[in-house]
């Protein structure tokens, strides 16, 4: 009887671990990246809008750090800078639209 309980407990434990490992983590689809600058990710398009400067980032602190689902970035008029390391590791990024309002690229 004890052996059956131990086996049952082990199976439940293994299934629980598999569920945790196989459950995809949902990445955020919107947030802020500056005092008055926000971002949204819809499909493979990242849109950055608002007014003023984007934050500077260092490695993994960027909300887009190693996000391989980002294929295109559209920065709207009003944003004045692109922060340091903002798109670090975005290996699928192939297109970026930068308006004339951007005067500084980190």
């Amino acid at each position: 009887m004890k052996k059956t309980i131990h086996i049952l407990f082990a199976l439940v434990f293994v299934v629980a671990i598999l569920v945790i490992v196989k459950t995809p983590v949902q990445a955020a689809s919107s947030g802020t990246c500056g005092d008055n600058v926000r971002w949204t990710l819809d499909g493979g398009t990242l849109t950055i809008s608002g007014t003023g400067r984007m934050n500077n980032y260092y490695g993994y602190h960027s909300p887009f750090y190693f996000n391989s689902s980002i294929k295109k970035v559209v920065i709207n008029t009003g944003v004045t800078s692109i922060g340091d390391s903002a798109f670090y590791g975005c290996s699928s990024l192939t297109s970026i639209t930068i308006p004339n309002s951007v005067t500084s690229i980190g």
Side-chain angles (χ1 to χ4, degrees):
M1 180 78 168
K2 281 187 177 183
K3 188 175 182 178
T4 304
I5 291 173
H6 289 293
I7 292 172
L8 183 59
F9 177 76
L11 282 172
V12 169
F13 180 76
V14 168
V15 169
I17 294 298
L18 288 174
V19 167
I20 291 169
V21 170
K22 291 290 186 176
T23 302
V25 175
Q26 287 272 335
S29 60
S30 66
T32 61
C33 55
D35 289 339
N36 296 306
V37 181
R38 58 197 165 279
W39 63 271
T40 58
L41 181 57
D42 185 15
T45 301
L46 174 68
T47 303
I48 299 175
S49 58
T51 57
R53 303 177 58 80
M54 278 182 72
N55 293 332
N56 289 318
Y57 296 100
Y58 304 97
Y60 64 89
H61 295 287
S62 168
F64 324 115
Y65 178 74
F66 273 96
N67 188 331
S68 61
S69 68
I70 298 172
K71 295 174 179 41
K72 178 180 177 180
V73 173
V74 176
I75 300 175
N76 289 340
T77 300
V79 177
T80 60
S81 73
I82 298 172
D84 293 345
S85 301
F87 308 114
Y88 185 81
C90 295
S91 59
S92 299
L93 180 57
T94 58
S95 170
I96 184 166
T97 302
I98 304 172
N100 289 335
S101 62
V102 172
T103 59
S104 171
I105 298 176

